[in-house]
mmCIF file of all heavy atoms in Angstrom:
data_model
loop_
_atom_site.group_PDB
_atom_site.id
_atom_site.type_symbol
_atom_site.label_atom_id
_atom_site.label_comp_id
_atom_site.label_asym_id
_atom_site.label_seq_id
_atom_site.Cartn_x
_atom_site.Cartn_y
_atom_site.Cartn_z
ATOM 1 N N THR A 1 -2.165 2.043 -28.853
ATOM 2 C CA THR A 1 -2.974 3.195 -28.458
ATOM 3 C C THR A 1 -2.365 4.025 -27.346
ATOM 4 O O THR A 1 -2.980 4.951 -26.863
ATOM 5 C CB THR A 1 -4.375 2.730 -28.018
ATOM 6 O OG1 THR A 1 -4.230 1.827 -26.914
ATOM 7 C CG2 THR A 1 -5.105 2.053 -29.161
ATOM 8 N N GLY A 2 -1.183 3.695 -26.913
ATOM 9 C CA GLY A 2 -0.583 4.503 -25.865
ATOM 10 C C GLY A 2 0.241 3.652 -24.942
ATOM 11 O O GLY A 2 0.578 2.515 -25.238
ATOM 12 N N GLY A 3 0.548 4.220 -23.820
ATOM 13 C CA GLY A 3 1.352 3.501 -22.850
ATOM 14 C C GLY A 3 2.181 4.481 -22.058
ATOM 15 O O GLY A 3 1.921 5.685 -22.048
ATOM 16 N N TRP A 4 3.188 3.935 -21.405
ATOM 17 C CA TRP A 4 4.047 4.766 -20.588
ATOM 18 C C TRP A 4 5.485 4.374 -20.864
ATOM 19 O O TRP A 4 5.836 3.193 -20.838
ATOM 20 C CB TRP A 4 3.736 4.569 -19.110
ATOM 21 C CG TRP A 4 4.409 5.580 -18.243
ATOM 22 C CD1 TRP A 4 3.859 6.752 -17.802
ATOM 23 C CD2 TRP A 4 5.748 5.551 -17.745
ATOM 24 N NE1 TRP A 4 4.786 7.453 -17.060
ATOM 25 C CE2 TRP A 4 5.962 6.728 -17.004
ATOM 26 C CE3 TRP A 4 6.796 4.661 -17.861
ATOM 27 C CZ2 TRP A 4 7.156 7.037 -16.374
ATOM 28 C CZ3 TRP A 4 8.000 4.955 -17.242
ATOM 29 C CH2 TRP A 4 8.166 6.131 -16.500
ATOM 30 N N ALA A 5 6.310 5.350 -21.143
ATOM 31 C CA ALA A 5 7.733 5.105 -21.362
ATOM 32 C C ALA A 5 8.499 6.372 -21.028
ATOM 33 O O ALA A 5 7.986 7.484 -21.191
ATOM 34 C CB ALA A 5 7.997 4.707 -22.804
ATOM 35 N N HIS A 6 9.718 6.182 -20.550
ATOM 36 C CA HIS A 6 10.584 7.311 -20.236
ATOM 37 C C HIS A 6 12.014 6.810 -20.297
ATOM 38 O O HIS A 6 12.346 5.796 -19.671
ATOM 39 C CB HIS A 6 10.261 7.853 -18.845
ATOM 40 C CG HIS A 6 11.047 9.060 -18.474
ATOM 41 N ND1 HIS A 6 12.342 9.007 -18.024
ATOM 42 C CD2 HIS A 6 10.724 10.369 -18.486
ATOM 43 C CE1 HIS A 6 12.776 10.218 -17.779
ATOM 44 N NE2 HIS A 6 11.818 11.070 -18.052
ATOM 45 N N SER A 7 12.847 7.497 -21.016
ATOM 46 C CA SER A 7 14.245 7.104 -21.134
ATOM 47 C C SER A 7 14.901 7.060 -19.761
ATOM 48 O O SER A 7 14.759 7.990 -18.959
ATOM 49 C CB SER A 7 14.980 8.111 -22.029
ATOM 50 O OG SER A 7 16.338 7.782 -22.112
ATOM 51 N N GLY A 8 15.589 5.961 -19.475
ATOM 52 C CA GLY A 8 16.282 5.816 -18.202
ATOM 53 C C GLY A 8 15.405 5.383 -17.051
ATOM 54 O O GLY A 8 15.874 5.310 -15.901
ATOM 55 N N ALA A 9 14.149 5.085 -17.307
ATOM 56 C CA ALA A 9 13.213 4.759 -16.234
ATOM 57 C C ALA A 9 13.533 3.416 -15.579
ATOM 58 O O ALA A 9 13.874 2.444 -16.242
ATOM 59 C CB ALA A 9 11.786 4.730 -16.764
ATOM 60 N N THR A 10 13.409 3.394 -14.278
ATOM 61 C CA THR A 10 13.469 2.148 -13.518
ATOM 62 C C THR A 10 12.045 1.626 -13.364
ATOM 63 O O THR A 10 11.073 2.327 -13.690
ATOM 64 C CB THR A 10 14.070 2.380 -12.121
ATOM 65 O OG1 THR A 10 13.197 3.258 -11.391
ATOM 66 C CG2 THR A 10 15.480 2.970 -12.216
ATOM 67 N N THR A 11 11.916 0.426 -12.830
ATOM 68 C CA THR A 11 10.570 -0.097 -12.599
ATOM 69 C C THR A 11 9.829 0.750 -11.564
ATOM 70 O O THR A 11 8.605 0.851 -11.614
ATOM 71 C CB THR A 11 10.613 -1.570 -12.159
ATOM 72 O OG1 THR A 11 11.522 -1.723 -11.058
ATOM 73 C CG2 THR A 11 11.031 -2.478 -13.309
ATOM 74 N N GLU A 12 10.550 1.380 -10.652
ATOM 75 C CA GLU A 12 9.893 2.278 -9.697
ATOM 76 C C GLU A 12 9.298 3.485 -10.425
ATOM 77 O O GLU A 12 8.153 3.884 -10.157
ATOM 78 C CB GLU A 12 10.877 2.742 -8.623
ATOM 79 C CG GLU A 12 10.233 3.606 -7.558
ATOM 80 C CD GLU A 12 11.172 3.972 -6.421
ATOM 81 O OE1 GLU A 12 12.375 3.648 -6.494
ATOM 82 O OE2 GLU A 12 10.689 4.585 -5.462
ATOM 83 N N ASP A 13 10.047 4.050 -11.365
ATOM 84 C CA ASP A 13 9.530 5.165 -12.169
ATOM 85 C C ASP A 13 8.308 4.721 -12.972
ATOM 86 O O ASP A 13 7.323 5.455 -13.076
ATOM 87 C CB ASP A 13 10.594 5.675 -13.144
ATOM 88 C CG ASP A 13 11.828 6.227 -12.456
ATOM 89 O OD1 ASP A 13 11.708 6.817 -11.366
ATOM 90 O OD2 ASP A 13 12.937 6.054 -13.034
ATOM 91 N N MET A 14 8.406 3.535 -13.543
ATOM 92 C CA MET A 14 7.294 3.011 -14.346
ATOM 93 C C MET A 14 6.045 2.831 -13.494
ATOM 94 O O MET A 14 4.942 3.194 -13.910
ATOM 95 C CB MET A 14 7.693 1.692 -14.998
ATOM 96 C CG MET A 14 8.792 1.832 -16.026
ATOM 97 S SD MET A 14 9.367 0.239 -16.644
ATOM 98 C CE MET A 14 8.031 -0.156 -17.758
ATOM 99 N N LEU A 15 6.230 2.262 -12.316
ATOM 100 C CA LEU A 15 5.090 2.060 -11.423
ATOM 101 C C LEU A 15 4.452 3.393 -11.066
ATOM 102 O O LEU A 15 3.225 3.528 -11.111
ATOM 103 C CB LEU A 15 5.528 1.313 -10.161
ATOM 104 C CG LEU A 15 4.460 1.121 -9.096
ATOM 105 C CD1 LEU A 15 3.239 0.391 -9.643
ATOM 106 C CD2 LEU A 15 5.039 0.386 -7.895
ATOM 107 N N ASP A 16 5.260 4.377 -10.734
ATOM 108 C CA ASP A 16 4.715 5.700 -10.413
ATOM 109 C C ASP A 16 3.926 6.263 -11.586
ATOM 110 O O ASP A 16 2.836 6.810 -11.408
ATOM 111 C CB ASP A 16 5.841 6.667 -10.032
ATOM 112 C CG ASP A 16 6.496 6.343 -8.699
ATOM 113 O OD1 ASP A 16 5.926 5.544 -7.915
ATOM 114 O OD2 ASP A 16 7.601 6.880 -8.443
ATOM 115 N N GLY A 17 4.469 6.138 -12.803
ATOM 116 C CA GLY A 17 3.804 6.672 -13.984
ATOM 117 C C GLY A 17 2.506 5.963 -14.313
ATOM 118 O O GLY A 17 1.485 6.591 -14.599
ATOM 119 N N VAL A 18 2.528 4.640 -14.264
ATOM 120 C CA VAL A 18 1.324 3.861 -14.584
ATOM 121 C C VAL A 18 0.272 4.051 -13.502
ATOM 122 O O VAL A 18 -0.911 4.213 -13.800
ATOM 123 C CB VAL A 18 1.679 2.374 -14.795
ATOM 124 C CG1 VAL A 18 0.422 1.524 -14.930
ATOM 125 C CG2 VAL A 18 2.559 2.208 -16.037
ATOM 126 N N ALA A 19 0.690 4.044 -12.246
ATOM 127 C CA ALA A 19 -0.266 4.220 -11.148
ATOM 128 C C ALA A 19 -0.933 5.589 -11.219
ATOM 129 O O ALA A 19 -2.130 5.716 -10.935
ATOM 130 C CB ALA A 19 0.431 4.018 -9.809
ATOM 131 N N ALA A 20 -0.175 6.609 -11.610
ATOM 132 C CA ALA A 20 -0.746 7.954 -11.709
ATOM 133 C C ALA A 20 -1.790 8.044 -12.815
ATOM 134 O O ALA A 20 -2.763 8.794 -12.698
ATOM 135 C CB ALA A 20 0.365 8.976 -11.955
ATOM 136 N N ASP A 21 -1.591 7.275 -13.884
ATOM 137 C CA ASP A 21 -2.526 7.302 -15.008
ATOM 138 C C ASP A 21 -3.759 6.450 -14.762
ATOM 139 O O ASP A 21 -4.770 6.614 -15.423
ATOM 140 C CB ASP A 21 -1.839 6.822 -16.290
ATOM 141 C CG ASP A 21 -0.807 7.811 -16.795
ATOM 142 O OD1 ASP A 21 -0.843 8.981 -16.371
ATOM 143 O OD2 ASP A 21 0.045 7.403 -17.613
ATOM 144 N N GLY A 22 -3.685 5.516 -13.846
ATOM 145 C CA GLY A 22 -4.814 4.641 -13.556
ATOM 146 C C GLY A 22 -4.956 3.538 -14.579
ATOM 147 O O GLY A 22 -4.107 3.365 -15.461
ATOM 148 N N PRO A 23 -6.033 2.762 -14.488
ATOM 149 C CA PRO A 23 -6.232 1.635 -15.401
ATOM 150 C C PRO A 23 -6.183 2.068 -16.866
ATOM 151 O O PRO A 23 -6.607 3.165 -17.221
ATOM 152 C CB PRO A 23 -7.620 1.119 -15.033
ATOM 153 C CG PRO A 23 -7.812 1.549 -13.613
ATOM 154 C CD PRO A 23 -7.096 2.875 -13.507
ATOM 155 N N MET A 24 -5.626 1.184 -17.678
ATOM 156 C CA MET A 24 -5.487 1.465 -19.113
ATOM 157 C C MET A 24 -6.624 0.805 -19.880
ATOM 158 O O MET A 24 -7.081 -0.278 -19.515
ATOM 159 C CB MET A 24 -4.152 0.913 -19.627
ATOM 160 C CG MET A 24 -2.952 1.579 -19.023
ATOM 161 S SD MET A 24 -1.429 0.821 -19.666
ATOM 162 C CE MET A 24 -0.215 1.876 -18.896
ATOM 163 N N ASP A 25 -7.057 1.462 -20.930
ATOM 164 C CA ASP A 25 -8.070 0.908 -21.813
ATOM 165 C C ASP A 25 -7.335 0.205 -22.947
ATOM 166 O O ASP A 25 -7.033 0.814 -23.981
ATOM 167 C CB ASP A 25 -8.972 2.027 -22.349
ATOM 168 C CG ASP A 25 -10.067 1.491 -23.246
ATOM 169 O OD1 ASP A 25 -10.416 0.302 -23.135
ATOM 170 O OD2 ASP A 25 -10.573 2.280 -24.073
ATOM 171 N N ALA A 26 -6.995 -1.067 -22.730
ATOM 172 C CA ALA A 26 -6.190 -1.809 -23.700
ATOM 173 C C ALA A 26 -6.492 -3.296 -23.589
ATOM 174 O O ALA A 26 -7.010 -3.757 -22.567
ATOM 175 C CB ALA A 26 -4.705 -1.557 -23.458
ATOM 176 N N ASP A 27 -6.142 -4.011 -24.625
ATOM 177 C CA ASP A 27 -6.292 -5.458 -24.625
ATOM 178 C C ASP A 27 -5.047 -6.162 -24.105
ATOM 179 O O ASP A 27 -5.119 -7.293 -23.632
ATOM 180 C CB ASP A 27 -6.591 -5.967 -26.040
ATOM 181 C CG ASP A 27 -7.911 -5.439 -26.568
ATOM 182 O OD1 ASP A 27 -8.883 -5.372 -25.790
ATOM 183 O OD2 ASP A 27 -7.964 -5.085 -27.760
ATOM 184 N N ALA A 28 -3.902 -5.504 -24.237
ATOM 185 C CA ALA A 28 -2.646 -6.122 -23.805
ATOM 186 C C ALA A 28 -1.706 -5.054 -23.268
ATOM 187 O O ALA A 28 -1.681 -3.922 -23.747
ATOM 188 C CB ALA A 28 -1.987 -6.859 -24.969
ATOM 189 N N LEU A 29 -0.940 -5.451 -22.291
ATOM 190 C CA LEU A 29 0.117 -4.622 -21.714
ATOM 191 C C LEU A 29 1.435 -5.309 -22.015
ATOM 192 O O LEU A 29 1.623 -6.466 -21.664
ATOM 193 C CB LEU A 29 -0.065 -4.502 -20.199
ATOM 194 C CG LEU A 29 1.075 -3.831 -19.427
ATOM 195 C CD1 LEU A 29 1.179 -2.350 -19.786
ATOM 196 C CD2 LEU A 29 0.876 -4.018 -17.921
ATOM 197 N N VAL A 30 2.333 -4.602 -22.686
ATOM 198 C CA VAL A 30 3.671 -5.120 -22.940
ATOM 199 C C VAL A 30 4.615 -4.481 -21.934
ATOM 200 O O VAL A 30 4.742 -3.255 -21.894
ATOM 201 C CB VAL A 30 4.142 -4.817 -24.385
ATOM 202 C CG1 VAL A 30 5.559 -5.327 -24.594
ATOM 203 C CG2 VAL A 30 3.180 -5.428 -25.395
ATOM 204 N N LEU A 31 5.243 -5.311 -21.138
ATOM 205 C CA LEU A 31 6.199 -4.833 -20.140
ATOM 206 C C LEU A 31 7.606 -5.205 -20.586
ATOM 207 O O LEU A 31 7.927 -6.380 -20.733
ATOM 208 C CB LEU A 31 5.932 -5.486 -18.784
ATOM 209 C CG LEU A 31 4.798 -4.926 -17.941
ATOM 210 C CD1 LEU A 31 4.566 -5.796 -16.711
ATOM 211 C CD2 LEU A 31 5.086 -3.502 -17.534
#
C-alpha cells in the first residue's frame, strides 16, 4: 500500500522521509 523509497538514499534520508510522513497505516514495515 505504499512506503518510502528513493534511489541512492542513505538511512538518514530514509529517516527524514519516514519521519516527515508520520506513522504508516500498515501491518508490516520492510526495511
